[in-house]
Amino acid sequence: MYRTKLAAIAACAAVALSLAACGDSSDDSTPATTSAPMTTAAPAMSSAPAMSGDQFGAGCASVPSDPANPGSFDAMAKVPVATAASGNPLLSTLVTAVKQANLVDSLNSAPAVTVFAPTNDAFAKIPKADLDKVLADPKTLTSVLTYHVVSGKLTPQQLAGTHKTLQGTDLTVTGSGTAFTVNGTSMVVCGNVQTANATVYIVDTVLMPKM
């Protein structure tokens, strides 16, 4: 009889311990449910700014894609603007004009500018006799070339509007998104091209200041 009571007491004690253990595990699990709200998806938003460096326009297809090519977007981004233009096959006439006007160092040393860079085809629209005359006149050539340069690196979102050029007079850009026209006639054919010190918008017509 005495042994039976001891067995019963032992059994009750075991049940009590078991219930206590169950109670402890349920208490431990409570904090686990409160930790879930700490996880958020916010870091995914950090990829958005990468879009700011994207080039746009049909003319971009003519730019070399090999990063090792000095005319590629990757290579241009590593050097100042006049040096960058010298490697781009679309801009060889512009580079000749910049050298003729002794503006290479000035453009390369500018802290931050936006350049509207006419393509070779843009210069080809000018009658050869007129182009040769401008190239032979340093004062006129400098005026024309500096009219293509604006202080500050304009993003596509900032591009539309009236901007004062380094030549001293204004130019006007209209459009939005990936379609822009300068002074009503010159279309941006490849935009938002980055160099070490400039943002370049390649255009299909040479811009002429009022002189």
Side-chain angles (χ1 to χ4, degrees):
M1 184 70 176
Y2 179 72
R3 290 181 178 177
T4 302
K5 288 182 178 181
L6 286 176
I9 291 170
C12 289
V15 171
L17 289 172
S18 176
L19 291 173
C22 291
D24 289 342
S25 64
S26 63
D27 289 342
D28 292 342
S29 65
T30 302
T33 60
T34 62
S35 63
M38 296 298 291
T39 58
T40 64
M45 298 298 291
S46 63
S47 62
M51 294 299 291
S52 64
D54 289 349
Q55 300 81 28
F56 62 84
C60 294
S62 299
V63 175
S65 58
D66 182 0
N69 189 304
S72 69
F73 293 131
D74 288 338
M76 290 178 71
K78 298 174 183 176
V79 294
V81 62
T83 303
S86 68
N88 192 309
L90 298 177
L91 305 175
S92 59
T93 304
L94 174 62
V95 171
T96 297
V98 168
K99 290 178 178 178
Q100 188 76 14
N102 294 317
L103 290 175
V104 172
D105 291 340
S106 296
L107 289 174
N108 278 347
S109 61
V113 291
T114 295
V115 177
F116 296 91
T119 63
N120 296 338
D121 289 341
F123 281 101
K125 292 179 181 180
I126 303 173
K128 187 177 185 304
D130 293 341
L131 180 58
D132 289 344
K133 184 177 180 180
V134 171
L135 290 173
D137 182 348
K139 183 178 179 181
T140 300
L141 182 59
T142 297
S143 180
V144 171
L145 293 176
T146 54
Y147 185 67
H148 290 74
V149 185
V150 173
S151 294
K153 298 178 71 172
L154 298 176
T155 67
Q157 293 74 29
Q158 299 169 322
L159 194 58
T162 299
H163 309 285
K164 183 171 290 295
T165 69
L166 297 191
Q167 183 264 351
T169 58
D170 295 340
L171 58 74
T172 300
V173 182
T174 56
S176 61
T178 59
F180 294 95
T181 303
V182 187
N183 287 352
T185 58
S186 188
M187 302 288 293
V188 174
V189 296
C190 183
N192 205 30
V193 179
Q194 300 300 312
T195 76
N197 69 326
T199 298
V200 178
Y201 293 89
I202 300 175
V203 294
D204 68 355
T205 303
V206 176
L207 307 173
M208 299 300 294
K210 295 178 179 179
M211 293 184 291

